Amino acid sequence: MECIVHRVPMRDPGDVSAILRLIDEGSIAPREIVAILGKTEGNGCVNDFTRGYATMALSAALAKHLGIAAEEVPSRVAIVMSGGTEGGLSPHFLVFGVREYRHSRGQRKSLAIGTASTPVLLPEQIGRMPQVELTAAAVRAAIERAAIADDADVHWVQIKCPLLTSERIADAAASGGAATATDNTYASMALSRAASALGVALALGEVDREALDDREIGRELGLWSPRASASAGVELLHSEIIVLGNSAAWSGDNVIAHGVMRDAIDLPSVIGVLSALEITISGQLDEAEASCILAVLAKAEASRSGTIRGARHVMWDDSDIQASRHARALVGGVLAGIIGRTDLFVSGGAEHQGPDGGGPIAVIARRPR
Amino acid sequence: MECIVHRVPMRDPGDVSAILRLIDEGSIAPREIVAILGKTEGNGCVNDFTRGYATMALSAALAKHLGIAAEEVPSRVAIVMSGGTEGGLSPHFLVFGVREYRHSRGQRKSLAIGTASTPVLLPEQIGRMPQVELTAAAVRAAIERAAIADDADVHWVQIKCPLLTSERIADAAASGGAATATDNTYASMALSRAASALGVALALGEVDREALDDREIGRELGLWSPRASASAGVELLHSEIIVLGNSAAWSGDNVIAHGVMRDAIDLPSVIGVLSALEITISGQLDEAEASCILAVLAKAEASRSGTIRGARHVMWDDSDIQASRHARALVGGVLAGIIGRTDLFVSGGAEHQGPDGGGPIAVIARRPR
Amino acid sequence: MECIVHRVPMRDPGDVSAILRLIDEGSIAPREIVAILGKTEGNGCVNDFTRGYATMALSAALAKHLGIAAEEVPSRVAIVMSGGTEGGLSPHFLVFGVREYRHSRGQRKSLAIGTASTPVLLPEQIGRMPQVELTAAAVRAAIERAAIADDADVHWVQIKCPLLTSERIADAAASGGAATATDNTYASMALSRAASALGVALALGEVDREALDDREIGRELGLWSPRASASAGVELLHSEIIVLGNSAAWSGDNVIAHGVMRDAIDLPSVIGVLSALEITISGQLDEAEASCILAVLAKAEASRSGTIRGARHVMWDDSDIQASRHARALVGGVLAGIIGRTDLFVSGGAEHQGPDGGGPIAVIARRPR
Amino acid sequence: MECIVHRVPMRDPGDVSAILRLIDEGSIAPREIVAILGKTEGNGCVNDFTRGYATMALSAALAKHLGIAAEEVPSRVAIVMSGGTEGGLSPHFLVFGVREYRHSRGQRKSLAIGTASTPVLLPEQIGRMPQVELTAAAVRAAIERAAIADDADVHWVQIKCPLLTSERIADAAASGGAATATDNTYASMALSRAASALGVALALGEVDREALDDREIGRELGLWSPRASASAGVELLHSEIIVLGNSAAWSGDNVIAHGVMRDAIDLPSVIGVLSALEITISGQLDEAEASCILAVLAKAEASRSGTIRGARHVMWDDSDIQASRHARALVGGVLAGIIGRTDLFVSGGAEHQGPDGGGPIAVIARRPR
């Protein structure tokens, strides 16, 4: 099997024409598509409906091609929309497909993919241990489906998780059940990402089960996974998981590597990931080098310390622009400078995803033949 | 004479304690201060009062040390506040002082500074040829005061220019005089920056006087200066000009170089400026190298094409965050990645200041002895 | 015939469940639906995708019930989504249906409705006379379909018109055709609303054709219609028109009246409209009175003077929140105070729709039997 | 003694010229000024520096007139700046002065004022019982200074309280002391207002001391004062208290009344307050009536239920505009509709200040002779 990756632009969150063009041109068959990541141009926060809009547009378009109802599409294709293209980030889709490999299989490991999803999460589970454990179980299932034998070959676990809206919080309160972990909707996004990331860390053995309880979630930032990327959204009630790694069970020229940015401007770590892919850097990548890079996935976050290398930033104190929006713009600039492209999947809110103020980064590249 | 440069943080726009500390420590004498640039944490747009607040705080503090009234300070010290520290940019002041040089003068050129100001600009002059010409005259005066013999040695012309508020537009209309160039306050910032930049270009012989008339201002983006940096603000009614360059009439280890970013992610041009200062780059500057860099000055702008290297950006279509805010965050990220610092003076709105979507950049460094 | 009106809430822009419930309950049959107005919770500005999202969700849902493709729905049902529920405004749909009347027809006039649409508007037509004239023709067609014999019985003309995005502006420029009326996307919304409103005024004989040319559009604010309500959106390329009035050719208990708010806080004019509907006011409407009000339609705008009754407002100078957002919140508060409800269709940007800073208001009520 | 009140506009947060004009004209003597409330045009949230800017400008201007240092002014004049003039609210100052009364004293009670302040509040005290108790003590002191014998005659307690910034939170953490009540800066504003309001309720005997502990603060919304108005700001570290009421120990024609809005659109309660001042309402106040109203003070808040009279509002789920900004715009519209003016002191965040989603309102009027 081979995992193929296409990066295509969107003109607006309802525009899936570039994906349809891939299908029309024969670059990918509808049934080959296993996952679609999208970077949409909403605020990436609570009332970002560009994620739901894109999901609806994708579902409607793929339903016709797959001959199923639009409602059934998300159970066939993992759809993960991440809002926020601040700074110069360019709205785009990453389309992951799986096909039988046409060439003889080599010895080396190639890009592998597996998907899974959790059950629907109850409002009171969000941001708490049940979410951590349900996520961990789904991650293990996805790794198995990806046929990645060695956990060290897992390089990226993308999770789309639910959040709490005012309505969901009120419903939970009205039902007389347990209180939700927070009654602040924006804060619920952070808690849901935090629990998701710890679920990844638990699944990959990066943290001990004993070290975890509700109180650590979103607070004990010393616990983190260097391979988790979680994004919360109003458009789903369960979590979607996509595992990416390398595996000898897969073929093709594509390969993935990852690293961890220690802070938001940690360019050396980015260069390290490119080096691991045998891309050498002297200044900005030239066009030929850049064209080998199929996808850049990164998390961005404002450091809780309120500083970057000792200099104050304003991200947390700005009541006009949310911290995660500042952070995406910043990390997008750092990455665009070295890579020379702006269609980068930079997602906000990196709780337990790398050290405070930093975050994981992965690059998928086509190996030179 | 020697031009000394201090970069100090501010905790909020009213906090000038770090400058007072410089004075208390003897690092600079009040009478040596000729110009203060500040990067404050407002929105950098029309209703950014952090610039006026910082100006008031600086004036009050310096007045005591200079023994003059607060109102008189701006006529003694050129004060240029630029709002907007989006992404990871860190609010800071750049304090420029002039002192007699203690060591014997060498052969080489050193950092030179000169300041000047235009008369008060009438509402109907803003964004039109009178502003261009009054600016050009003031730039010439500042170059002369800086004792820069060769225009090729001018590397940066910082201008703080006025804008139109609703009240000023209404006043102009009520007075029965000529109409203002626009009745949109945000648009007036762009026009004022545009006229200022063309004033620099005219003063430096970069454009022909004949090529200019009101209709080109803010529109004919093929006309630009690679050394102009204009910033509009509600807190003044005239323009302040600060010219920075190198001159054999000055002494000391400080030196300035400039370049032009062709687009917002043009890292190679940034590396070019560093190379001109004999700073070699392989990835991010290390701490020792970074410590030699005294100031980074850059302009940021969203390209009118709506794209960066063919990929769509959302800066102009975002009605929640102004385009100049996105642009500052982006360019701040590109620069912070390579330089490893976030206290960078990135100013928004680069009309006629470099090519569309790009902008000038200058670096002041201490020469290794 | 009878025009029925249902007001139902939406939980998010993709939630049309309340409309489906109307159908399931038999309150309205899918084929009776002629128009749906929606007040969605986006920013109401350029990048407000909640309008397109709601349109897509409505189309998908109605397609199933009508047995047609989703793409065909907008040609059968006039769909007008207006973004922005600032302050306390509540997201909701107004569903207009037409059915045969069951009771014998009385002498009095009842609520009447007619819809029409313009051809696709080219980028260079937007905000110019061609848009005015194409709109006027469509308004006449809609009045005829509504069987309103006397233009004095037209009380509201709702228009959804297109805007210019960066991409459309660039396309127009690239095609070598005529320049667009503006290259500022937010400004294009105002120009498109302005041309639409003048189209209504022209159709209703409120302004002379000779008084109009491109230069007046959006500028000569002395020209206005007291019955036009235009809303611009990225989700369509032509204009949708819905005419509401009273006609003896229609039956039923519903009736409409309108007035003009002279400024944003002109409560007496609102009370005047209620009085015309025989609703007497002493303070806030009580629940029984409020329940007779089926829909409140109003336009909100920041006065260009920068003041309301001599006191300065900040709407135009605020670079964090667009002026139309402030204005909707304000007018929503004025109306909610007197009416005692928040599900009011307050739409922003009232260029040529009432006097500067004011705007038209209409109320649809059920006549007491 | 007589308490005089002047309401004057400001052109920007640094503009105190209208107050200086009052002094120049002899309408008030500098030494008579005891308190200045200001409604400034910032975002009213964490990074609203318009409050500090106005405070600095006021201090500098009054210092000259009082012959003291600017730093000493706030200890002589209670300065309370509240940010946020969303919707149509107009930036203005309310200047309260005390003078010897020239006419013979009547029997009736007249407007009375008293001020006090708490000690500096430590970061860990903010939003907790120590803040409640220190506030209560200061309120009692202010009531005594106002010579209000009966607590029933206290109609408004205005408090300006500190908030937590990222830096203060980090400092508290670094000092190894107790944790702060929250590490979210925006949330700290709500907690500080909440503790202040409970301090008022405690001082006025509206809640029992036994009913209070840290856990209730900001959560048990059933506990509230109908006379507290708290506003948090970055520009001070202690709390300023201003008590307004009626007292037979005071003279003059001014008088104050208050009421409680049960929700944000509770117009009947507003009418009730006006009636208490013998102002009869039929629709909007006419100019003569409106001119008797010297000041309108109100609190605005988004209901935690997420609804207003059953209809959903978006205030809490909007990540672009903070809830308190929506709420001020809404309540400003409700009040402006009935009163016919927009220079209203509507302050955001009414935790424990009236019922959930509502808030206290007070009106100061000149009695007809």
Side-chain angles (χ1 to χ4, degrees):
Chain A
M1 299 227 287
E2 178 184 7
C3 175
I4 55 177
V5 184
H6 291 284
R7 178 178 46 202
V8 293
M10 69 180 95
R11 281 198 304 259
D12 63 67
D15 171 43
V16 297
S17 61
I19 295 179
L20 297 182
R21 208 148 42 233
L22 287 177
I23 294 173
D24 290 346
E25 293 168 359
S27 299
I28 198 164
R31 294 186 175 280
E32 292 174 338
I33 300 174
V34 295
I36 299 179
L37 269 64
K39 194 98 252 314
T40 61
E41 62 200 278
N43 63 24
C45 303
V46 179
N47 64 329
D48 181 351
F49 300 107
T50 63
R51 298 173 302 221
Y53 186 15
T55 300
M56 182 181 278
L58 275 173
S59 296
L62 292 179
K64 287 185 194 167
H65 280 282
L66 293 170
I68 60 177
E71 294 74 27
E72 294 170 43
V73 171
S75 64
R76 287 271 290 275
V77 177
I79 296 180
V80 172
M81 295 295 123
S82 164
T85 55
E86 295 82 3
L89 293 172
S90 189
H92 67 287
F93 290 114
L94 294 172
V95 184
F96 291 88
V98 175
R99 66 166 54 138
E100 240 176 282
Y101 195 56
R102 287 133 195 201
H103 308 288
S104 68
R105 205 182 117 202
Q107 299 294 334
R108 27 174 232 189
K109 293 175 180 173
S110 293
L111 182 66
I113 188 169
T115 66
S117 60
T118 68
V120 164
L121 297 171
L122 302 176
E124 60 268 27
Q125 292 180 319
I126 289 177
R128 295 211 174 103
M129 284 307 297
Q131 184 179 13
V132 172
E133 285 169 343
L134 290 166
T135 301
V139 170
R140 292 299 333 158
I143 293 171
E144 194 163 326
R145 284 176 206 161
I148 299 177
D150 183 352
D151 281 358
D153 283 326
V154 172
H155 287 276
W156 194 259
V157 183
Q158 181 69 43
I159 298 185
K160 183 80 208 186
C161 52
L163 54 80
L164 295 172
T165 59
S166 296
E167 195 177 32
R168 290 183 197 170
I169 293 166
D171 285 355
S175 74
T180 50
T182 179
D183 59 3
N184 179 300
T185 57
Y186 184 68
S188 79
M189 299 182 76
L191 284 173
S192 184
R193 289 188 300 253
S196 297
L198 290 176
V200 174
L202 186 59
L204 292 173
E206 294 164 341
V207 299
D208 281 341
R209 175 65 188 82
E210 293 75 47
L212 296 179
D213 66 30
D214 284 356
R215 285 164 307 180
E216 319 298 331
I217 300 173
R219 286 198 195 81
E220 182 42 77
L221 300 181
L223 300 171
W224 49 269
S225 167
R227 296 176 277 184
S229 168
S231 175
V234 77
E235 68 278 13
L236 78 181
L237 296 172
H238 65 282
S239 289
E240 283 294 328
I241 284 98
I242 302 172
V243 164
L244 294 168
N246 298 318
S247 166
W250 293 66
S251 300
D253 294 327
N254 298 340
V255 65
I256 185 171
H258 84 278
V260 176
M261 292 174 74
R262 288 161 305 136
D263 63 19
I265 63 171
D266 181 12
L267 185 63
S269 291
V270 182
I271 294 174
V273 176
L274 294 171
S275 299
L277 293 165
E278 293 168 41
I279 298 168
T280 48
I281 292 285
S282 62
Q284 194 175 64
L285 294 191
D286 63 30
E287 263 193 69
E289 292 162 330
S291 72
C292 293
I293 294 184
L294 302 182
V296 177
L297 305 155
K299 290 297 300 190
E301 194 183 51
S303 62
R304 305 275 175 119
S305 66
T307 61
I308 299 175
R309 304 192 186 177
R312 185 170 69 95
H313 64 72
V314 304
M315 302 191 238
W316 290 113
D317 289 347
D318 189 346
S319 301
D320 296 312
I321 301 179
Q322 298 279 7
S324 57
R325 307 199 74 181
H326 280 291
R328 276 190 295 269
L330 168 59
V331 173
V334 172
L335 297 178
I338 198 76
I339 291 171
R341 302 187 62 110
T342 56
D343 44 4
L344 311 165
F345 191 86
V346 179
S347 162
E351 301 81 2
H352 303 305
Q353 302 151 64
D356 179 35
I361 173 163
V363 176
I364 302 175
R366 193 184 308 111
R367 240 182 308 232
R369 307 220 173 169
Chain B
M1 299 227 289
E2 177 182 8
C3 176
I4 55 177
V5 184
H6 290 284
R7 177 177 45 201
V8 293
M10 69 182 96
R11 282 197 306 257
D12 63 66
D15 171 43
V16 297
S17 61
I19 295 180
L20 296 182
R21 208 149 41 234
L22 287 177
I23 294 173
D24 289 346
E25 293 168 359
S27 299
I28 197 163
R31 295 187 174 277
E32 292 174 337
I33 300 175
V34 294
I36 299 179
L37 270 64
K39 194 97 250 319
T40 61
E41 60 199 279
N43 62 24
C45 302
V46 178
N47 63 329
D48 181 351
F49 300 107
T50 62
R51 299 173 301 221
Y53 186 16
T55 300
M56 182 181 279
L58 276 173
S59 296
L62 292 180
K64 287 185 195 167
H65 280 283
L66 293 169
I68 58 178
E71 294 75 27
E72 294 169 40
V73 171
S75 64
R76 287 273 289 272
V77 177
I79 296 180
V80 173
M81 296 295 121
S82 163
T85 55
E86 296 82 3
L89 293 172
S90 189
H92 66 288
F93 290 113
L94 294 171
V95 183
F96 291 87
V98 174
R99 67 165 54 139
E100 239 175 283
Y101 194 56
R102 288 129 195 205
H103 307 288
S104 68
R105 210 182 115 202
Q107 300 293 336
R108 25 175 234 190
K109 294 176 180 172
S110 293
L111 181 65
I113 188 169
T115 65
S117 60
T118 67
V120 166
L121 297 170
L122 303 176
E124 60 269 26
Q125 292 180 319
I126 290 177
R128 295 213 174 103
M129 285 305 299
Q131 185 179 12
V132 173
E133 285 169 343
L134 290 167
T135 301
V139 170
R140 293 297 336 160
I143 292 173
E144 194 164 326
R145 283 176 206 161
I148 299 176
D150 182 353
D151 281 359
D153 283 326
V154 172
H155 287 276
W156 194 259
V157 183
Q158 182 69 43
I159 298 185
K160 184 81 209 184
C161 50
L163 54 80
L164 295 172
T165 59
S166 296
E167 195 178 33
R168 289 183 197 172
I169 294 167
D171 285 353
S175 74
T180 51
T182 179
D183 58 2
N184 179 300
T185 56
Y186 185 67
S188 80
M189 299 182 76
L191 284 174
S192 184
R193 289 188 300 254
S196 297
L198 290 176
V200 175
L202 186 59
L204 293 173
E206 294 164 343
V207 299
D208 282 340
R209 174 66 188 81
E210 293 77 46
L212 297 178
D213 66 30
D214 283 357
R215 285 165 306 181
E216 319 299 332
I217 300 172
R219 289 199 192 82
E220 182 44 75
L221 301 181
L223 300 171
W224 48 270
S225 167
R227 296 176 277 183
S229 169
S231 176
V234 76
E235 69 277 13
L236 78 181
L237 297 171
H238 65 282
S239 290
E240 282 294 327
I241 285 98
I242 302 172
V243 164
L244 294 167
N246 298 317
S247 166
W250 293 66
S251 299
D253 293 327
N254 298 341
V255 64
I256 185 170
H258 84 278
V260 176
M261 293 175 76
R262 288 161 306 135
D263 61 20
I265 63 172
D266 181 12
L267 186 61
S269 290
V270 182
I271 294 175
V273 175
L274 294 171
S275 299
L277 294 165
E278 293 169 41
I279 298 168
T280 48
I281 293 285
S282 60
Q284 195 174 65
L285 294 192
D286 63 29
E287 262 193 70
E289 291 163 330
S291 72
C292 292
I293 294 185
L294 302 182
V296 177
L297 305 156
K299 290 296 301 190
E301 193 183 52
S303 63
R304 304 274 174 118
S305 66
T307 61
I308 298 174
R309 302 190 187 179
R312 184 168 71 95
H313 64 71
V314 305
M315 301 190 239
W316 290 114
D317 289 347
D318 189 344
S319 302
D320 295 313
I321 301 178
Q322 298 280 5
S324 56
R325 307 199 74 179
H326 281 290
R328 274 189 295 268
L330 168 58
V331 172
V334 171
L335 297 178
I338 199 76
I339 292 172
R341 302 186 63 111
T342 56
D343 44 4
L344 311 165
F345 190 87
V346 178
S347 162
E351 302 81 2
H352 304 304
Q353 301 152 62
D356 180 37
I361 174 165
V363 176
I364 301 176
R366 192 184 308 110
R367 240 181 310 232
R369 306 219 175 170
Chain C
M1 298 225 289
E2 178 183 7
C3 177
I4 53 177
V5 184
H6 289 285
R7 178 178 44 203
V8 293
M10 70 181 96
R11 282 198 304 259
D12 64 65
D15 170 43
V16 297
S17 62
I19 295 180
L20 297 181
R21 208 147 45 233
L22 287 178
I23 294 173
D24 290 347
E25 294 167 359
S27 299
I28 198 164
R31 294 187 175 279
E32 292 174 336
I33 300 173
V34 295
I36 298 178
L37 269 64
K39 193 98 251 321
T40 61
E41 62 200 277
N43 62 23
C45 303
V46 179
N47 63 328
D48 181 351
F49 300 107
T50 63
R51 299 173 302 220
Y53 186 16
T55 300
M56 182 180 277
L58 276 173
S59 296
L62 292 179
K64 286 186 193 166
H65 280 282
L66 293 169
I68 59 177
E71 294 75 26
E72 293 169 43
V73 171
S75 63
R76 287 272 290 274
V77 177
I79 297 180
V80 172
M81 295 295 123
S82 165
T85 56
E86 295 82 4
L89 293 172
S90 188
H92 66 288
F93 290 114
L94 295 171
V95 184
F96 291 87
V98 174
R99 67 166 54 140
E100 239 176 285
Y101 194 57
R102 287 133 195 202
H103 308 289
S104 70
R105 206 184 118 201
Q107 298 294 336
R108 23 175 234 190
K109 293 175 180 172
S110 292
L111 182 65
I113 188 169
T115 64
S117 61
T118 67
V120 165
L121 297 170
L122 303 177
E124 59 269 27
Q125 292 180 319
I126 290 176
R128 295 211 174 104
M129 285 308 298
Q131 184 178 13
V132 172
E133 285 169 342
L134 291 166
T135 301
V139 170
R140 291 298 336 160
I143 292 171
E144 194 165 328
R145 282 176 208 161
I148 298 176
D150 183 350
D151 282 359
D153 283 327
V154 172
H155 287 277
W156 195 258
V157 183
Q158 182 68 44
I159 298 185
K160 184 81 208 186
C161 51
L163 56 78
L164 296 171
T165 58
S166 296
E167 196 177 31
R168 289 183 198 171
I169 293 167
D171 284 354
S175 73
T180 51
T182 179
D183 58 2
N184 180 299
T185 57
Y186 184 67
S188 80
M189 300 182 76
L191 284 174
S192 184
R193 289 188 301 254
S196 298
L198 290 176
V200 175
L202 186 59
L204 293 173
E206 294 164 343
V207 299
D208 282 340
R209 174 64 188 81
E210 293 77 46
L212 298 178
D213 67 30
D214 284 358
R215 285 163 307 179
E216 318 299 331
I217 301 172
R219 286 197 195 84
E220 182 42 75
L221 300 181
L223 301 171
W224 48 270
S225 168
R227 296 177 277 184
S229 169
S231 175
V234 76
E235 68 277 14
L236 78 181
L237 297 171
H238 66 282
S239 289
E240 283 294 329
I241 284 98
I242 302 173
V243 164
L244 294 167
N246 298 318
S247 166
W250 292 67
S251 299
D253 293 327
N254 297 341
V255 64
I256 185 170
H258 84 279
V260 176
M261 293 174 75
R262 289 162 305 136
D263 62 19
I265 63 172
D266 181 12
L267 186 62
S269 291
V270 181
I271 293 175
V273 176
L274 294 170
S275 299
L277 293 166
E278 293 168 41
I279 299 168
T280 48
I281 293 285
S282 62
Q284 194 174 65
L285 294 191
D286 63 29
E287 261 194 71
E289 292 163 329
S291 73
C292 292
I293 294 185
L294 302 182
V296 178
L297 305 156
K299 290 296 302 189
E301 194 183 51
S303 62
R304 303 276 174 117
S305 65
T307 62
I308 298 175
R309 303 190 187 178
R312 184 168 71 95
H313 66 69
V314 305
M315 302 191 238
W316 290 115
D317 289 347
D318 189 345
S319 302
D320 295 313
I321 301 179
Q322 298 280 4
S324 57
R325 308 199 74 181
H326 280 290
R328 274 190 297 268
L330 168 59
V331 173
V334 171
L335 297 177
I338 198 76
I339 291 171
R341 303 186 61 110
T342 57
D343 44 4
L344 310 166
F345 190 87
V346 179
S347 162
E351 301 81 2
H352 304 305
Q353 301 152 63
D356 178 37
I361 172 162
V363 176
I364 301 175
R366 192 184 308 109
R367 240 181 309 230
R369 307 221 174 169
Chain D
M1 298 227 287
E2 176 183 8
C3 176
I4 55 177
V5 184
H6 289 285
R7 177 178 46 202
V8 293
M10 69 181 95
R11 281 198 305 257
D12 64 67
D15 171 44
V16 297
S17 60
I19 295 179
L20 297 182
R21 208 149 38 234
L22 288 177
I23 294 173
D24 290 346
E25 293 168 359
S27 299
I28 198 163
R31 293 190 175 276
E32 292 174 336
I33 301 174
V34 295
I36 299 180
L37 269 64
K39 193 98 254 316
T40 61
E41 61 200 279
N43 62 24
C45 303
V46 179
N47 63 328
D48 181 351
F49 300 106
T50 62
R51 298 174 302 221
Y53 186 15
T55 300
M56 182 181 280
L58 276 173
S59 297
L62 292 179
K64 286 185 194 169
H65 280 283
L66 293 169
I68 59 176
E71 294 75 25
E72 293 169 42
V73 172
S75 65
R76 287 272 289 274
V77 177
I79 296 181
V80 171
M81 296 295 122
S82 164
T85 55
E86 296 81 4
L89 293 173
S90 189
H92 67 287
F93 290 113
L94 294 172
V95 184
F96 291 87
V98 174
R99 66 167 55 140
E100 238 176 284
Y101 193 56
R102 288 132 194 203
H103 307 288
S104 69
R105 207 183 116 202
Q107 299 293 335
R108 25 176 232 190
K109 293 176 180 171
S110 293
L111 181 65
I113 188 168
T115 65
S117 60
T118 68
V120 165
L121 298 169
L122 302 177
E124 59 269 26
Q125 293 180 319
I126 290 178
R128 296 212 173 103
M129 284 307 296
Q131 185 178 12
V132 172
E133 286 168 342
L134 290 167
T135 301
V139 170
R140 291 299 333 159
I143 292 172
E144 193 164 328
R145 283 177 206 161
I148 298 176
D150 182 351
D151 281 359
D153 283 326
V154 172
H155 288 275
W156 194 259
V157 183
Q158 182 68 43
I159 299 185
K160 183 82 210 186
C161 51
L163 54 80
L164 296 172
T165 58
S166 296
E167 195 177 32
R168 291 182 197 171
I169 294 167
D171 285 354
S175 73
T180 52
T182 178
D183 59 2
N184 179 301
T185 58
Y186 184 68
S188 79
M189 299 181 77
L191 285 173
S192 184
R193 288 187 302 253
S196 297
L198 290 175
V200 175
L202 186 58
L204 292 173
E206 294 164 342
V207 300
D208 281 340
R209 175 65 188 83
E210 293 77 47
L212 298 178
D213 67 29
D214 285 356
R215 285 164 306 179
E216 319 298 332
I217 300 172
R219 288 200 192 81
E220 183 43 77
L221 300 181
L223 300 171
W224 48 269
S225 168
R227 298 176 276 183
S229 168
S231 175
V234 76
E235 67 278 13
L236 78 183
L237 297 171
H238 65 283
S239 290
E240 282 294 328
I241 284 98
I242 302 172
V243 164
L244 294 168
N246 298 318
S247 166
W250 292 67
S251 301
D253 294 326
N254 298 339
V255 64
I256 184 170
H258 85 278
V260 176
M261 294 174 74
R262 287 161 306 135
D263 62 19
I265 63 172
D266 181 11
L267 185 62
S269 290
V270 182
I271 293 174
V273 176
L274 294 171
S275 299
L277 293 166
E278 293 169 41
I279 298 169
T280 49
I281 292 285
S282 60
Q284 196 173 62
L285 294 192
D286 62 31
E287 263 194 69
E289 293 163 329
S291 71
C292 292
I293 294 185
L294 302 182
V296 178
L297 304 156
K299 289 298 300 190
E301 192 183 53
S303 62
R304 304 274 174 119
S305 66
T307 61
I308 298 174
R309 303 191 187 178
R312 182 168 72 93
H313 65 70
V314 304
M315 301 190 240
W316 290 113
D317 289 347
D318 189 344
S319 302
D320 294 313
I321 301 179
Q322 298 280 5
S324 57
R325 307 199 74 180
H326 281 291
R328 274 189 297 266
L330 168 59
V331 172
V334 171
L335 297 178
I338 199 74
I339 292 172
R341 302 185 62 111
T342 56
D343 43 4
L344 311 165
F345 191 87
V346 179
S347 161
E351 301 81 3
H352 304 303
Q353 301 151 63
D356 180 35
I361 172 163
V363 176
I364 301 175
R366 193 185 307 113
R367 239 182 310 231
R369 304 214 175 173

